[in-house]
Amino acid sequence: NNIGEILVFNSALKRLSAPISFDTIMGLTGKNWSSGGDPSCVYDPANGGHWFFTQIVSASPESKGGAFTGCFGGVANACTEGIAVTDGNNPFGPYHVYFSHADYNPGEPGYPSLLNDFAKISVTRDAFLMFDDEFTPTHIDFGRAATAGMAH
């Protein structure tokens, strides 16, 4: 399987949690979706101490092969980037969850089977930024990065 998980540690590196699945944090099982990997995490101490978690999300459930039969299999409209943001500075939540779809532009090569891969995330005082490589089952374009932004 390709299930993304987090572990929470304190500043002395003492483990505070068992593995917490992104499927649980993002509510993927209830949507019949699954984790696709490439998890990222950033903490924003300057704006209230929010935690941001991202990962590839597939519209195919784990019971049917997850990302390997959906997202990575080139199934149209099967890939999104899941984004979970804590309400405050507690990494255990509660979370606000968003999904950024790669297939937003029908004019792009590879539409409707694009995959936002290797997301890099950052925050500023008024925005969440995400950069990634766009892939299709037949075309890899390292020279083009997609971006998404959300205001705080």
Side-chain angles (χ1 to χ4, degrees), residues 42 52 54 83 121-124 126-130 148-152:
V42 68
F52 293 81
T54 66
I83 304 162
I121 59 175
S122 183
V123 291
T124 67
D126 59 358
F128 166 81
L129 304 168
M130 181 176 74
M150 292 186 289
H152 282 160

Side-chain angles (χ1 to χ4, degrees), residues 19-20 22 33 39 41-42 52 69 74-75 78 80 82 95 97 99 102 104 119-120 124-126 128-129 131-132 149:
I20 303 168
F22 278 140
W33 293 357
C41 173
V42 68
F52 293 81
T69 59
V75 174
T80 62
Y95 302 92
V97 179
F99 298 98
Y104 60 88
K120 306 297 180 263
T124 67
R125 72 179 160 78
D126 59 358
F128 166 81
L129 304 168
F131 301 88
D132 47 51

